[in-house]
Amino acid sequence: MRVLVVGGGGREHALCWAIAASPLLTKLWCAPGNPGIAELAECVPVGATDIPALIDFARERQVELVVAGPEAPLTLGLADACAAAGIKCFGPSAAAAQLEGSKAFCKAVADAAGVPTAAWARFDDPGAARAHIRAKGAPIVVKADGLAAGKGVVVAQTLAEAEAAIAEIMESRVHGAAGASVVIEDFLEGEEVSFFALCDGATALPMAAAQDHKRVGEGDTGPNTGGMGAYSPPPAFTDAVRDEVMARIVKPTLAEMAGRGTPFRGVLFAGLMLTQAGPKLIEFNVRFGDPECQALMLRLRSDLLPALLAACDGELSRFDLRWEPTPSLVVVMAAEGYPGTPRKGSEIRGLERAAQVPGVQVFHAGTARREDGALVADGGRVLAIGAIGATLRAARDAAYAGVDAVEWPGGFCRRDIGWRAL
Ligand code: AMP
Ligand code: GLY
């Protein structure tokens, strides 16, 4: 099988790591990849959203399967372009990717499917949004409707914060066109988990759950990020909760999408709040989470590649996946300044030593090679140090032993990944 992975972050490094282990693989490319991925795959200098160039490349090299890492190429129609070219693509069509591309679309599908989720309303007009907020009261959640790299959400504890969010998103347009309209939601309280299900349009196969750490600061404080660490499985996500999520959230959504003529194929990422009234949907994403993917791939015992193919081919009903029962934990190392403007170019050493810690796997995210060959920071989230252990505590200790082996004065990480479970 000749496979092209699209993307170049820690999630894609983990996907390449899992795919590279498959006996079905004959050749692996990654566009654009990163220096860590380059040890497993041939990196191709094509951007993840340059659909025509990706298709040209895939045609030229007779790629048999394209695996989309991030959401952006999917919302831009990567899967549709692959279908038109006769190439299999793991990931949904642009129409189905609207589940992530538009929060209002996601909420409308959830309502139509009877999925439990926070009450919501959408506004194009800042004045009307403010009136709604005053009528509802705080805490309340304000979201830019479009894609904003996970940063377009403000969980406002006070009315003043909520109104400031309206000004920033709709009037100052800090997230650009994504803030032309907002979704305002009731605040949900509980334990937050990310759950992943492989979907082939008709059948959903549960994968596993992980807990992300979205805030930049320890104790879950400070601004939201793309995710500062994750572990799997979260103890609160019992088998009973999983069954309820499959029955009340994932399966009805899949049926609703198929009924609309836009069946969902790929991985459905349900962001959930485990409330006292049961699990509720916060949002759907149409791809693996980052860093949740790294935590999942560390625990996946089955071959990933045939599972991705079964999702493309509508054959998941005959499929099964096996997972290590032992936990995994991933610590993200970010460049100083993140989630604001990260400082690029600082040198990173010690990754070989980190990788020698038993159980540890080093995933690259925003790294680059300088001309002299040195590894440098080249993004916000730069590394993800993951580990598997007999217990969550052991996985955490191993992951932090890996982190401590990394020599990178320009980086930082949270020291408390896993705290809710530990
Ligand atoms: P989202 O991009 O929609 O996942 O939102 C980012 C983060 O904001 C989520 O991971 C939650 O931590 C938080 N959040 C979003 N919606 C709600 C809600 N209705 N109630 C409480 N927290 C929320
Ligand atoms: N870590 C959350 C996400 O990938 O959206």
Side-chain angles (χ1 to χ4, degrees):
M1 191 103 225
R2 299 161 68 80
V3 180
L4 170 64
V5 172
V6 174
R11 165 183 48 211
E12 290 75 27
H13 191 174
L15 290 173
C16 285
W17 179 64
I19 293 169
S22 173
L24 296 179
L25 184 78
T26 49
K27 173 76 189 175
L28 183 60
W29 292 274
C30 188
N34 66 37
I37 293 174
E39 291 167 21
L40 302 165
E42 187 180 329
C43 291
V44 185
V46 174
T49 54
D50 190 346
I51 313 284
L54 290 169
I55 297 295
D56 283 348
F57 179 87
R59 273 215 181 101
E60 226 168 76
R61 303 301 169 97
Q62 290 159 337
V63 167
E64 293 161 281
L65 174 68
V66 172
V67 178
E71 65 280 9
L74 293 166
T75 56
L76 292 171
L78 175 63
D80 310 81
C82 284
I87 302 164
K88 289 181 194 192
C89 178
F90 178 78
S93 66
Q98 281 307 298
L99 272 182
E100 174 165 3
S102 162
K103 297 203 186 281
F105 178 81
C106 174
K107 297 294 278 191
V109 169
D111 283 354
V115 166
T117 183
W120 65 288
R122 176 175 178 276
F123 297 93
D124 303 313
D125 171 55
R130 285 197 176 87
H132 179 76
I133 284 170
R134 283 186 215 119
K136 279 275 184 179
I140 193 155
V141 182
V142 180
K143 304 183 173 188
D145 185 31
L147 287 178
K151 294 172 196 162
V153 174
V154 176
V155 179
Q157 297 300 333
T158 62
L159 283 183
E161 268 178 73
E163 293 194 29
I166 298 294
E168 284 203 346
I169 296 171
M170 300 190 84
E171 290 164 350
S172 307
R173 291 289 173 96
V174 293
H175 308 294
S181 57
V182 292
V183 166
I184 299 179
E185 283 183 15
D186 287 358
F187 174 73
L188 297 173
E189 204 164 0
E191 198 68 15
E192 194 174 340
V193 299
S194 306
F195 174 66
F196 300 86
L198 282 182
C199 300
D200 67 5
T203 299
L205 181 67
M207 294 188 86
Q211 186 164 54
D212 189 11
H213 298 61
K214 307 221 183 220
R215 304 296 190 108
V216 74
E218 279 158 25
D220 295 334
T221 55
N224 261 322
T225 70
M228 295 299 293
Y231 63 92
S232 174
F237 198 81
T238 59
D239 287 355
V241 173
R242 180 201 57 207
D243 292 347
E244 190 179 348
V245 169
M246 286 299 290
R248 298 197 58 201
I249 297 179
V250 174
K251 287 182 180 173
T253 300
L254 215 55
E256 173 66 23
M257 292 299 286
R260 291 173 177 234
T262 52
F264 186 89
R265 291 188 198 90
V267 60
L268 189 63
F269 165 172
L272 304 168
M273 196 70 88
L274 307 183
T275 73
Q276 297 211 310
K280 292 199 178 181
L281 177 72
I282 296 172
E283 64 161 3
F284 282 124
N285 296 306
V286 300
R287 38 127 189 125
F288 284 107
D290 186 340
E292 291 97 321
C293 184
Q294 293 88 312
L296 256 57
M297 292 306 123
L298 284 164
R299 291 187 54 225
L300 181 62
R301 211 188 267 174
S302 304
D303 188 346
L304 179 66
L305 190 46
L308 302 181
L309 280 171
C312 294
D313 293 341
E315 287 178 356
L316 279 180
S317 59
R318 273 169 281 164
F319 218 85
D320 198 18
L321 283 172
R322 298 182 62 217
W323 300 89
E324 296 288 349
T326 49
S328 60
L329 186 140
V330 176
V331 180
V332 168
M333 299 183 77
E336 274 169 17
Y338 181 77
T341 307
R343 263 200 294 288
K344 292 190 180 181
S346 56
E347 192 170 337
I348 302 163
R349 294 209 203 94
L351 295 190
E352 297 76 16
R353 271 212 307 143
Q356 278 162 13
V357 176
V360 166
Q361 198 64 40
V362 174
F363 298 108
H364 290 232
T367 62
R369 289 265 173 224
R370 210 163 54 192
E371 263 176 35
D372 63 1
L375 191 72
V376 295
D378 193 39
R381 294 187 295 168
V382 174
L383 296 166
I385 312 293
I388 192 143
T391 60
L392 187 58
R393 202 169 287 275
R396 178 198 60 183
D397 291 348
Y400 279 109
V403 166
D404 291 337
V406 176
E407 296 164 48
W408 180 29
F412 72 96
C413 68
R414 276 179 61 166
R415 301 294 315 188
D416 65 345
I417 301 305
W419 70 281
R420 284 176 188 276
L422 292 165

